[in-house]
Structures are given as structure tokens and as C-alpha cells.
């Protein structure tokens, strides 16, 4: 099943966050990667929430969610049209009520990053290991 790709688009609205989460769960079950559903859904929830929160200042009204399975890695990508502020890992103060999403993404992923898109916007990508810990 290596080399599979799924692309979905969602409106930049709060209602899209649970829809994106459920979409990830459905695709991963279809790909026989149900053991990654919780981690992947949490990562996508954080990334789509960030897009909905910040990309409203961009030029588009949609975000794109891409799932790829390749070489033992599940790649999750969330793209939007907001390019002026790239996400950065930070440590919020204890009294802050937000700003911990990328800490979760960082803790769950093998690697993650952000790259500018051709034209306008950015893509935040995350790599999750396909194999369960302890498997060969």
C-alpha cells in the first residue's frame, strides 16, 4: 500500500476541523492504518485549527489536506493561503490558554516543518511512522 495519496479540501471554518479529523480516520481505516487514527486525527486537528484561525487573513477560503503513505511514513500536509506568518514551535507561559498545538505535533511526529507554496500560502507537513513501536 505504499505510495497512496488522498487529497481533500475544506472551507476555512471551525466546522471543518471535525470534518478533517473524521476524513483522516476514514482514509486511514481504508488504508489499514487504523492504529494511527488517534495520533493523525490529533495532528490534523491542530493543523486545521491553526489554518482556520490564522489563514482567514489570506487570500483564499479553503485549506487543503493531503495524506500520503510512502516508505513506512504517513505524511500529513495542511496547506492554506496565508503566507505572512509561518508557524513556529514555542513554549507558552503557564497562564496562556493557547499556543500548545505545535508542541503536541512535535511530540507525536518523527519530523515536521513548513514550506511556502508556489503562489501564495504555506504547507505544514508532518511525518508519522507507519509501523507501531516494537514492530519489525
Amino acid at each position: 500500500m505504499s505510495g497512496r495519496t488522498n487529497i481533500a479540501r475544506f472551507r476555512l471554518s471551525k466546522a471543518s476541523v471535525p470534518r478533517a479529523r473524521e476524513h483522516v480516520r476514514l482514509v486511514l481505516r481504508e488504508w489499514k492504518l487504523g492504529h494511527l487514527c488517534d495520533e493523525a486525527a490529533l495532528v490534523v486537528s491542530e493543523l486545521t485549527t491553526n489554518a482556520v484561525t490564522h489563514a482567514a487573513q489570506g487570500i483564499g477560503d479553503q485549506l487543503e489536506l493531503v495524506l500520503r503513505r510512502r516508505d513506512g511514513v504517513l505524511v500529513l500536509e495542511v496547506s492554506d493561503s496565508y503566507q505572512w506568518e509561518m508557524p513556529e514551535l514555542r513554549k507558552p507561559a503557564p497562564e496562556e490558554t493557547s499556543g500548545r498545538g505545535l508542541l503536541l505535533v512535535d511530540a507525536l511526529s518523527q519530523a515536521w516543518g513548513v514550506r511556502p507554496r508556489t503562489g501564495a500560502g504555506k504547507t505544514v507537513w508532518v511525518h508519522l511512522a507507519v509501523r507501531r513501536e516494537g514492530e519489525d
Side-chain angles (χ1 to χ4, degrees):
M1 271 199 240
S2 194
R4 291 188 135 193
T5 300
N6 179 280
I7 301 171
R9 289 179 182 79
F10 299 90
R11 294 191 58 75
L12 284 173
S13 73
K14 289 181 183 179
S16 293
V17 176
R19 289 181 185 133
R21 253 192 326 258
E22 186 57 26
H23 178 78
V24 166
R25 289 181 182 283
L26 290 171
V27 170
L28 293 184
R29 285 186 195 117
E30 179 183 318
W31 289 358
K32 308 293 188 235
L33 296 175
H35 63 281
L36 291 177
C37 281
D38 290 340
E39 290 175 26
L42 179 56
V43 166
V44 165
S45 183
E46 294 300 333
L47 298 183
T48 55
T49 297
N50 285 350
V52 167
T53 302
H54 301 291
Q57 301 168 32
I59 60 173
D61 65 349
Q62 291 191 331
L63 64 89
E64 182 177 84
L65 170 61
V66 177
L67 291 87
R68 285 193 185 90
R69 180 180 176 167
R70 64 171 194 226
D71 301 326
V73 175
L74 175 66
V75 180
L76 305 168
E77 297 178 340
V78 175
S79 301
D80 61 56
S81 66
Y82 187 57
Q83 66 188 14
W84 296 276
E85 188 176 329
M86 297 294 180
E88 292 181 12
L89 188 62
R90 63 185 199 90
K91 292 185 179 178
E95 67 275 1
E96 289 183 74
T97 59
S98 65
R100 291 169 180 79
L102 288 179
L103 288 171
L104 289 170
V105 170
D106 188 61
L108 293 171
S109 67
Q110 285 185 321
W112 72 275
V114 60
R115 66 177 181 270
R117 294 182 78 186
T118 304
K122 67 183 171 309
T123 298
V124 181
W125 55 268
V126 176
H127 291 180
L128 298 177
V130 169
R131 294 192 175 134
R132 296 180 202 204
E133 194 170 309
E135 287 185 343
D136 293 326

